[in-house]
Amino acid sequence: MKNLKKNILLTAVVAASPLAAIAAEVSGNISMTSDYRFRGISQTDTQLAVQGGFDFAFDNGIYVGTWGSNVDFANSLELDYYVGYAGDLSETVSFDVGYIYYDYPGTDDTVRTLSGDAEDDYAEIYASVSVSDFTFGVAYSDDYYLETGEFYYIYGDYSFALPHDVSLDLHYGYNDFEFSSTDSNAKDAEQAFLSDGEDSYSDYSIGVSKEFAGVGVSLTWVDTDLDKSECFGTNWCDSTVVFAISKDL
């Protein structure tokens, strides 16, 4: 399954590559953040993360790209590969659909769990619609991290401008792990992500951002509705303030 997922992505990239010499916009970014929070949960044990990526966007709306960050697990590296299609439906309405593969290179193909070996790499499909400053999106995985079964993520974002070119960004996300006590992977699912028997949680954030001489600066309050017993006995899901600086390349 893992090789099949990678082959699908490579096929998409190869198919698009002849267009690169005709009409492709290449962009990149690099950033440093005080904590890598993914859907409210720290991926770096609440420590610093250095991140960056590259994108190829074609005139027909197709894009491909990769993004990476240090993490506190899986040999300390995450690399994401994605391919998608985005466009405008009107002056105020746009859409984005795609496929993303979360890779943790340098690790074994399988990870030992309570009920056997499981892969840490996984994939999602995603879609979003933006209307003016509001975005509604969904993501779905048929086999989430450590093969813990189906996963759904539903979120809403809203951004609006404050004086002095400051942006205020609001986010809410709902994470739903679709497994039942009869699933063969149910015990794994409880241990792999949410402990104490939880099968869903919410994450939310409020942030402000501004650009100074081409460098983006943001300060974001991030939290979840999980307590310590539901988050592996750690503070990874606790409320925190994340500071980040970024630069487009």
Side-chain angles (χ1 to χ4, degrees):
M1 177 64 74
K2 183 161 81 170
N3 290 333
L4 175 60
K5 292 172 182 174
K6 287 186 176 179
N7 287 339
I8 291 173
L9 182 58
L10 288 174
T11 300
V13 173
V14 172
S17 60
L19 299 176
I22 303 173
E25 179 181 346
V26 182
S27 61
N29 61 85
I30 186 170
S31 65
M32 184 171 61
T33 178
S34 60
D35 187 4
Y36 172 18
R37 290 276 172 144
F38 180 64
R39 294 169 182 165
I41 300 179
S42 177
Q43 308 294 292
T44 50
D45 194 17
T46 71
Q47 300 302 306
L48 184 75
V50 177
Q51 306 169 333
F54 288 95
D55 297 282
F56 295 83
F58 303 96
D59 287 345
N60 59 6
I62 295 174
Y63 63 87
V64 295
T66 183
W67 180 89
S69 175
N70 61 290
V71 293
D72 189 52
F73 57 95
N75 208 35
S76 302
L77 179 62
E78 173 188 332
L79 288 178
D80 303 338
Y81 312 99
Y82 48 88
V83 57
Y85 177 66
D88 296 325
L89 299 178
S90 69
E91 291 185 356
T92 58
V93 180
S94 60
F95 67 91
D96 184 9
V97 295
Y99 168 96
I100 182 168
Y101 184 80
Y102 298 89
D103 189 21
Y104 302 95
T107 61
D108 295 334
D109 288 345
T110 58
V111 176
R112 176 65 64 179
T113 65
L114 292 179
S115 60
D117 289 341
E119 294 184 2
D120 49 7
D121 297 1
Y122 66 99
E124 292 179 349
I125 56 174
Y126 58 87
S128 66
V129 175
S130 296
V131 180
S132 297
D133 296 326
F134 178 81
T135 298
F136 173 78
V138 296
Y140 168 76
S141 176
D142 64 344
D143 203 4
Y144 203 54
Y145 182 70
L146 293 184
E147 299 181 7
T148 48
E150 289 183 293
F151 168 76
Y152 297 86
Y153 187 62
I154 304 171
Y155 68 92
D157 294 334
Y158 184 69
S159 300
F160 55 93
L162 298 177
H164 307 293
D165 296 322
V166 175
S167 176
L168 177 63
D169 306 308
L170 309 178
H171 166 83
Y172 172 81
Y174 180 73
N175 304 257
D176 187 19
F177 300 84
E178 289 291 324
F179 62 86
S180 67
S181 59
T182 59
D183 291 339
S184 60
N185 284 333
K187 186 176 181 181
D188 251 1
E190 294 178 3
Q191 294 297 326
F193 250 90
L194 301 179
S195 52
D196 205 25
E198 290 297 315
D199 61 0
S200 65
Y201 76 96
S202 296
D203 68 90
Y204 29 87
S205 64
I206 302 174
V208 290
S209 59
K210 181 177 173 61
E211 187 173 294
F212 297 91
V215 176
V217 178
S218 65
L219 194 65
T220 307
W221 172 77
V222 183
D223 200 2
T224 72
D225 61 358
L226 295 170
D227 59 34
K228 189 172 183 178
S229 66
E230 297 164 341
C231 193
F232 331 107
T234 72
N235 61 348
W236 300 343
C237 306
D238 290 354
S239 172
T240 190
V241 175
V242 176
F243 173 74
I245 58 175
S246 61
K247 173 68 175 175
D248 291 335
L249 304 175

